Amino acid sequence: MAEIFTPFLTAFILAYALRPVCLWLERHRLPRAAAAGIAMIFGLLVVFLILTLFITLLKTEIPLIKAQFPTWLQNTQAWLGPKLSEFHIDVDWGTLKSSATQKITTHLNDNSDALMSSTLETVLMSGSSVIAGFVNAVLILFVMFYLLIDWNHFFKLVRTIVPVRAQDTVHHLAMHADGLLSQYLRGMLIVISIMSVFYSVGLSIIGVQGAVALGVFTALMIVIPYIGITLGFTLAVLAALLQFGPGGAIIGVLVLYGLGQFIEGFFLTPRLVGERIGLHPVAVLFALLLFGKLFGFFGVLLALPISAVGLVLLQYGWTRYTQCPWYQK
């Protein structure tokens, strides 16, 4: 069931996120279909930018891993070897070094022929997955385009399905959820923009290679609570360790990310995103696991906003429950 609903849920969320762009273009006297098409192109460019940043990070760090691995292993041998000898544990460091270096070279080889051969083999072995992914991508674009064009008509149709006696209540809850999500999206865009500059400038001052890509990637990952900042921090520490080794650069990264978390957590997010979502950290982790299991990585991205909408419904249900005669007796 999740495989069926995921493309439609993805299209709906993307259309909701791109609708302000579409409305802005319509206000500038563009036809609705043209505005929807340009909004979709804008969304695709944003996705392409994120993928480009990720590829840039890989291009920066993989050569560093290949270059620094022998030094890492040598330093590990110098530090760990004497300690193992005290316990009469013998390690063949020469064999370990040659074997590990061979595996690193094999997996991270930049030989284009080997890379193309491996990619072609993967595509042929998973042809059905590639076809399914292509069909889902086309379906998402198709549904998203028509949602952008017929957004108001779609919700008028949904409103007619709701019983008349419940239409005002449903409309009120929908407006409350829409306001919450709008505040969340606008606030997150501003927070991501500010933190992109902060992390990029900070990493550039430290001297980390690929500082801009790594800084923007870290800021984008803020949308995934806890997991995102952990991933960005891990990549930054790895980049500094590969480039400079243990030393002042690692301390600089620790200070930078600690200060970034303080600024984002205590000033930017409360002021710009607001505390209205009000989800407990345990509830956030549960939502990440649940939506990640149901809808994959995209579900992880949507866990927090969908949970916020669920919280609106839960609060309304609790209010009605506590006001009913059965509860008050």
Side-chain angles (χ1 to χ4, degrees):
M1 291 294 289
E3 291 80 4
I4 298 175
F5 286 107
T6 297
F8 291 93
L9 176 62
T10 303
F12 180 82
I13 297 298
L14 291 176
Y16 180 84
L18 293 174
R19 180 162 164 75
V21 180
C22 188
L23 291 176
W24 183 84
L25 292 171
E26 287 184 29
R27 285 196 296 269
H28 287 73
R29 300 183 179 180
L30 277 177
R32 183 170 298 177
I38 295 174
M40 287 178 59
I41 293 173
F42 173 77
L44 292 175
L45 288 175
V46 172
V47 173
F48 177 76
L49 174 62
I50 295 173
L51 293 176
T52 302
L53 288 172
F54 186 70
I55 293 172
T56 302
L57 290 176
L58 293 180
K59 283 186 174 181
T60 301
E61 298 203 8
I62 286 177
L64 288 175
I65 292 174
K66 292 172 62 178
Q68 294 292 335
F69 182 76
T71 305
W72 272 14
L73 194 58
Q74 184 177 354
N75 293 337
T76 302
Q77 178 182 356
W79 174 75
L80 189 60
K83 292 180 172 54
L84 293 177
S85 298
E86 294 178 1
F87 295 96
H88 304 288
I89 299 176
D90 295 326
V91 178
D92 189 350
W93 293 99
T95 303
L96 177 62
K97 182 176 180 180
S98 60
S99 175
T101 303
Q102 182 179 2
K103 289 183 180 297
I104 289 289
T105 303
T106 300
H107 289 288
L108 301 180
N109 195 352
D110 54 358
N111 185 281
S112 59
D113 294 334
L115 181 61
M116 289 299 295
S117 176
S118 176
T119 303
L120 180 61
E121 182 181 354
T122 301
V123 170
L124 292 175
M125 290 178 61
S126 57
S128 59
S129 299
V130 173
I131 294 174
F134 177 77
V135 171
N136 284 336
V138 172
L139 178 62
I140 289 171
L141 293 176
F142 179 82
V143 174
M144 182 168 58
F145 178 75
Y146 280 99
L147 278 175
L148 287 172
I149 292 178
D150 296 328
W151 186 271
N152 292 330
H153 177 72
F154 173 75
F155 278 96
K156 285 180 181 177
L157 180 62
V158 173
R159 183 184 178 93
T160 60
I161 298 175
V162 178
V164 175
R165 64 179 180 276
Q167 285 184 1
D168 290 339
T169 300
V170 172
H171 178 75
H172 171 74
L173 291 175
M175 291 301 99
H176 187 187
D178 179 67
L180 184 65
L181 289 177
S182 299
Q183 178 188 356
Y184 173 80
L185 290 175
R186 287 194 301 268
M188 285 305 299
L189 285 175
I190 298 174
V191 171
I192 287 171
S193 301
I194 294 174
M195 296 311 297
S196 294
V197 175
F198 175 82
Y199 285 122
S200 298
V201 172
L203 291 170
S204 298
I205 293 174
I206 295 172
V208 176
Q209 294 182 8
V212 175
L214 185 55
V216 175
F217 182 79
T218 301
L220 288 171
M221 289 296 100
I222 291 175
V223 299
I224 308 177
Y226 311 122
I227 298 175
I229 189 61
T230 302
L231 177 60
F233 172 71
T234 302
L235 290 174
V237 170
L238 179 61
L241 187 63
L242 288 170
Q243 188 175 343
F244 302 105
I250 301 297
I251 298 176
V253 170
L254 291 173
V255 172
L256 175 69
Y257 275 75
L259 182 60
Q261 276 295 283
F262 179 79
I263 294 173
E264 186 254 320
F266 288 92
F267 292 98
L268 295 181
T269 298
R271 292 175 181 270
L272 298 176
V273 180
E275 301 290 353
R276 290 174 55 192
I277 293 180
L279 290 173
H280 192 276
V282 175
V284 171
L285 291 175
F286 176 77
L288 289 172
L289 293 174
L290 176 62
F291 286 100
K293 180 68 174 178
L294 292 177
F295 303 108
F297 179 73
F298 197 76
V300 174
L301 296 178
L302 298 177
L304 193 57
I306 292 178
S307 299
V309 175
L311 185 62
V312 171
L313 300 177
L314 184 63
Q315 289 173 343
Y316 173 78
W318 177 256
T319 301
R320 293 297 300 268
Y321 170 65
T322 54
Q323 290 177 354
C324 70
W326 184 82
Y327 176 82
Q328 295 179 357
K329 286 184 179 179

